């Protein structure tokens, strides 16, 4: 594989090998541009300076074997000795020789990045002595959850399992259902939200910007189709607990779709009702009420259908228990 030379910055080219096939572009570059800050990697992708087979690409573009990745001039620092990050195990829902399913707590990013030195994958690698003699040989995220979302997260222990599982996510062969508490009384007949989403950046004050998402019209050329299925699970005084199944996996899809319907998620600090959020914090809700509750997928080795469930964490259960139920059932 071609590498970016150290010393004087110049344009470099990276050729994707078989082991890297299927990876996201951002993860591919972070792995190969050792010494380049992750914030800079994301900046050159967003600016369009990174090209895949001479075409523009985004951070979530999947690279394939043989792809030629153009990298603009970057100064690669001499690599400092590796410092192991904090080691942490997470509650296990399933583990075998092919994959790990954990119940991710809220407040923990799935990976290190801008402003986050260590996420789930780095902490788990440290705990499993990844890359060390006798330690884990392979650990990669299959998919992602927002930092403030709790619930089921899959990690592959083999490259073959990673490719198989990611293909299922891309082809919409998985079943992903979340529990979300929204403000107000959700209409019983509102069961499908089919509205395109568009990602954009707002000025973060330091040049990098902050990623946001909004609903756009169906004829918007920048819109990505997004489909969300909604089922009322329970009605509370002033809230509705929903089972939300996503048929597409767009960034912030559930948060933006529910907010666009006039019922933002309780505690959502990006798309929610900020004044209500302040009041909810005083009432005990210190986080966004969104939990990855159920995941269905085909096991990459034996072909059996797997269903995993992660109960609501205690802080969310306690918040629900503090609210009155309506006198009539849903």
């Amino acid at each position: 594989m071609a590498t970016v030379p150290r010393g004087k910055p110049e344009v470099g080219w990276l050729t994707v090998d078989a082991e890297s096939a299927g990876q996201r572009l951002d993860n591919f570059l972070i792995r190969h541009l050792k010494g380049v800050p992750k914030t800079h990697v994301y900046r050159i992708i967003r600016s369009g300076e990174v090209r895949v087979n001479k075409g523009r690409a985004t951070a979530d573009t999947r690279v394939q074997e043989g792809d030629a990745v153009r990298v603009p001039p970057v100064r690669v620092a001499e690599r400092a000795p590796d410092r192991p990050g904090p080691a942490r195990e997470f509650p296990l829902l399933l583990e075998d020789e092919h994959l790990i399913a954990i119940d991710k707590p809220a407040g923990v990013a799935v990976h290190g990045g801008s402003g986050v030195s260590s996420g789930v994958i780095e902490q788990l690698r440290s705990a499993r002595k990844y890359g060390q003699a006798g330690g884990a040989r392979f650990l990669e995220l299959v998919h992602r959850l927002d930092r403030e979302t709790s619930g089921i997260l899959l990690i592959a222990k083999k490259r073959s399992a990673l490719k198989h599982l990611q293909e299922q996510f891309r082809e919409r062969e998985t079943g992903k259902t979340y529990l979300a508490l929204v403000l107000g009384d959700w209409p019983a007949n509102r069961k499908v939200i089919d509205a395109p989403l568009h990602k954009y950046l707002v000025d973060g004050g330091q040049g990098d910007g902050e990623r946001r998402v909004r609903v756009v019209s169906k004829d918007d050329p920048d819109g990505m189709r997004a489909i969300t299925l909604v089922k009322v699970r329970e009605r509370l005084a002033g809230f509705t607990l929903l089972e939300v199944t996503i048929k597409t996996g767009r960034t912030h899809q559930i948060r933006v779709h529910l907010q666009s319907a006039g019922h933002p998620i309780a505690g959502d600090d990006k798309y929610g009702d900020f004044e209500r959020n302040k009041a909810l914090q005083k009432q005990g809700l210190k986080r966004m009420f969104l939990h990855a509750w159920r995941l269905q997928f085909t096991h990459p080795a034996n072909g059996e259908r797997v269903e995993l469930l992660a109960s609501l964490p205690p802080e969310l259960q306690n918040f629900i228990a503090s609210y009155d139920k309506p006198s009539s059932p849903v």
Side-chain angles (χ1 to χ4, degrees):
M1 175 182 294
T3 59
V4 178
R6 300 185 186 278
K8 183 180 179 180
E10 58 184 68
V11 171
W13 291 89
L14 298 169
T15 302
V16 180
D17 58 14
E19 279 297 295
S20 300
Q23 281 190 343
R24 286 170 53 107
L25 177 61
D26 52 357
N27 292 336
F28 173 78
L29 290 177
I30 288 168
R31 172 166 293 184
H32 292 288
L33 299 182
K34 301 296 186 183
V36 177
K38 291 180 181 179
T39 53
H40 188 66
V41 170
Y42 283 103
R43 189 181 300 123
I44 61 176
I45 294 174
R46 288 197 299 265
S47 69
E49 297 174 86
V50 174
R51 302 274 173 153
V52 177
N53 300 328
K54 299 184 179 181
R56 290 190 64 157
T58 59
D60 57 0
T61 296
R62 301 284 177 176
V63 296
Q64 302 301 325
E65 183 177 2
D67 282 352
V69 181
R70 176 194 183 277
V71 183
V74 292
R75 187 173 297 280
V76 180
E78 294 297 328
R79 188 175 181 183
D82 288 337
R83 293 183 180 180
R88 181 178 179 182
E89 290 280 359
F90 297 88
L92 285 174
L93 299 171
L94 173 69
E95 181 173 6
D96 57 28
E97 64 269 32
H98 302 278
L99 60 90
I100 303 171
I102 67 166
D103 189 355
K104 184 189 87 68
V108 183
V110 295
H111 63 83
S114 179
V116 179
S117 61
S118 177
V120 168
I121 191 65
E122 291 86 3
Q123 294 173 30
L124 190 59
R125 284 172 175 169
S126 185
R128 300 293 180 98
K129 302 187 184 306
Y130 174 77
Q132 301 179 34
R137 299 180 61 185
F138 187 92
L139 288 174
E140 290 286 352
L141 291 165
V142 174
H143 61 115
R144 299 186 178 200
L145 292 177
D146 289 345
R147 182 173 183 171
E148 294 307 318
T149 302
S150 56
I152 304 170
L153 181 68
L154 291 184
I155 296 108
K157 296 172 71 174
K158 293 185 176 182
R159 173 69 63 183
S160 58
L162 177 68
K163 291 182 178 181
H164 193 288
L165 290 166
Q166 287 184 335
E167 181 68 18
Q168 290 183 54
F169 276 86
R170 282 196 296 272
E171 297 300 320
R172 306 178 189 176
E173 296 171 352
T174 59
K176 296 178 287 184
T177 301
Y178 295 68
L179 296 179
L181 187 73
V182 298
L183 305 185
D185 195 18
W186 184 271
N189 62 352
R190 187 74 190 272
K191 298 180 179 181
V192 180
I193 303 174
D194 185 353
L197 298 175
H198 170 60
K199 287 191 289 189
Y200 65 101
L201 296 176
V202 295
D203 186 7
Q206 298 179 349
D208 283 343
E210 183 181 357
R211 181 179 58 183
R212 292 292 178 92
V213 179
R214 62 172 174 253
V215 169
V216 294
S217 64
K218 292 187 182 297
D219 59 356
D220 191 309
D222 294 322
M224 300 290 288
R225 191 179 186 190
I227 303 172
T228 301
L229 308 181
V230 182
K231 177 183 176 182
V232 173
R233 181 181 178 93
E234 187 175 8
R235 295 192 188 278
L236 308 171
F239 303 93
T240 312
L241 182 62
L242 303 175
E243 294 180 15
V244 183
T245 300
I246 53 174
K247 307 305 289 185
T248 51
R250 308 301 181 197
T251 300
H252 297 171
Q253 176 175 328
I254 295 175
R255 301 165 69 175
V256 175
H257 267 177
L258 298 182
Q259 184 271 340
S260 71
H263 298 273
I265 297 175
D268 188 343
D269 63 356
K270 285 187 185 292
Y271 306 100
D273 184 321
F274 306 125
E275 291 303 316
R276 287 291 301 278
N277 287 346
K278 291 179 182 178
L280 290 173
Q281 286 187 352
K282 295 178 181 178
Q283 297 169 35
L285 185 64
K286 308 293 186 182
R287 51 161 290 196
M288 177 173 64
F289 201 123
L290 183 61
H291 177 71
W293 167 57
R294 181 172 64 202
L295 179 64
Q296 298 165 315
F297 61 93
T298 300
H299 195 282
N302 59 30
E304 294 181 359
R305 196 65 176 171
V306 179
E307 179 178 86
L308 300 175
L309 294 173
S311 300
L312 279 176
E315 69 271 16
L316 299 187
Q317 291 187 34
N318 293 338
F319 184 78
I320 285 182
S322 69
Y323 272 83
D324 295 331
K325 311 298 189 295
S327 56
S328 58
V330 173

